[in-house]
Amino acid sequence: MRRTDVTACTAVAAAPAQRAVLTTEVWLRIPSAAPGVLRVRPLPGEATASYVQRLAGTYQLTLSQLLDGVGITLHSHGTLPAAELHLNHNAARRLAALARFPLPHLKHALPHLALPSDAHDTEAAAHWKRLEAAQPPVRACTLCTRHRSHDTTDTAWAHTAPQRLVCPRDQQAAPDPRLTSTVRTWAVPELVAAHHAHQRLLRRPRALTAWTTARAITTRWYDHQQHLTHRWHTRLARLCATNPHLTTTGSASPTLLARDLVTYPETVALAGALAALPNQPHRDTGKALNVIAHRLGLPRLPLNASDPIRVFLTHTRH
């Protein structure tokens, strides 16, 4: 039902014995957005287009029908995950009213919901915008999605933070945006342990810097097959055995598609070790290397002069 239909029905019902003609006064008495019947909870970091699509699905509408029904004008065309839906401030207010969520809470959950520069636009509008290559969302946990969608869909897309790489309850992960299905992780139980360790790491003052550094180091080790190659090959084989779609995605090899997932436990362990080190560089890095090797479950960590962990220990920290 379109907004004009809602207006006409309201006017006729309000004055059945009088003229059934819409006037400006009647139009102004109609609220710009009314609370919806169903309350659809957003997923953390969910793409706006994904959330609007799920909300529309609960009412058995298309995305464009839902937006039109609440008076939001949709411009341009796009599809997930290549494009994102951007709502201006007035459109975001209407969506929040329909979803029955305070706008600040909805903005917190949907990082691309509304742009501050659009706060004074009079028309409630939504625009499809193509995402940059580094920005695409990934598939969200299917069970979490179904739980928050009144069992109408298991498909959602989210801009996942590193600490939410793995869903520990449902044992799913989406390590790469090129994957259209989540990865089942039950065959690699150390991923859940790493997830819990990551949450503890976030309470440390230097957690973000340590994580960024650790991820760069483990990625370098992974790509150059250093230190942990056998362990990572074994983990990748287990993931491929339980997720055949990893080997049939034509855009990339499973080695690349699952890289962040395969290295995740060691990245978390390394980040924890780096966050605990003193800020100043060591004159003798031997002790620090022993601590790191222990955290990684290695007897020792032989490094050449250009190894990124040695560079970090001797030159980067200050």
Side-chain angles (χ1 to χ4, degrees), residues 121-133:
D121 287 359
T122 55
E123 180 192 38
H127 300 261
W128 280 105
K129 293 186 179 180
R130 188 168 183 82
L131 288 168
E132 299 294 332

Side-chain angles (χ1 to χ4, degrees), residues 227 300-304 307 310:
H227 309 309
R300 61 191 182 89
L301 197 59
L303 305 176
N304 57 44
D307 193 290
R310 183 178 291 278

Side-chain angles (χ1 to χ4, degrees), residues 68-286:
D68 184 64
V70 294
I72 298 175
T73 303
L74 179 61
H75 297 279
S76 64
H77 302 278
T79 56
L80 281 166
E84 174 63 299
L85 192 65
H86 291 272
L87 278 64
N88 66 11
H89 183 73
N90 284 334
R93 287 177 54 247
R94 291 173 182 263
L95 182 67
L98 176 69
R100 297 198 297 156
F101 272 94
L103 183 56
H105 294 180
L106 203 59
K107 283 185 176 181
H108 180 73
L110 309 178
H112 293 174
L113 175 61
L115 302 176
S117 59
D118 294 329
H120 301 294
D121 287 359
T122 55
E123 180 192 38
H127 300 261
W128 280 105
K129 293 186 179 180
R130 188 168 183 82
L131 288 168
E132 299 294 332
Q135 293 181 316
V138 298
R139 277 291 301 269
C141 171
T142 58
L143 296 180
C144 288
T145 300
R146 183 165 289 280
H147 177 68
R148 297 191 182 205
S149 305
H150 300 275
D151 287 327
T152 58
T153 183
D154 62 4
T155 301
W157 298 85
H159 300 275
T160 306
Q163 66 269 22
R164 292 196 297 267
L165 176 64
V166 177
C167 175
R169 182 183 63 184
D170 301 317
Q171 299 190 56
Q172 294 186 30
D176 192 282
R178 289 168 288 191
L179 288 168
T180 56
S181 301
T182 57
V183 175
R184 303 296 193 266
T185 62
W186 59 266
V188 189
E190 60 267 32
L191 293 175
V192 172
H195 169 85
H196 295 313
H198 200 166
Q199 311 315 303
R200 295 192 296 271
L201 171 66
L202 294 176
R203 295 194 285 265
R204 297 190 179 185
R206 292 184 288 148
L208 180 58
T209 301
W211 169 262
T212 303
T213 302
R215 185 173 182 271
I217 291 170
T218 55
T219 298
R220 170 75 178 274
W221 288 350
Y222 184 88
D223 291 344
H224 292 269
Q225 299 192 13
Q226 293 176 281
H227 309 309
L228 298 152
T229 301
H230 177 72
R231 185 188 305 177
W232 286 338
H233 281 178
T234 301
R235 191 174 294 153
L236 178 61
R238 290 178 182 173
L239 289 171
C240 289
T242 52
N243 297 275
H245 62 283
L246 279 174
T247 61
T248 58
T249 301
S251 58
S253 70
T255 304
L256 292 177
L257 292 172
R259 177 173 59 188
D260 284 349
L261 200 56
V262 169
T263 61
Y264 185 57
E266 287 72 32
T267 303
V268 172
L270 179 58
L274 297 182
L277 291 176
N279 281 332
Q280 69 277 10
H282 282 274
R283 295 180 180 178
D284 181 7
T285 61

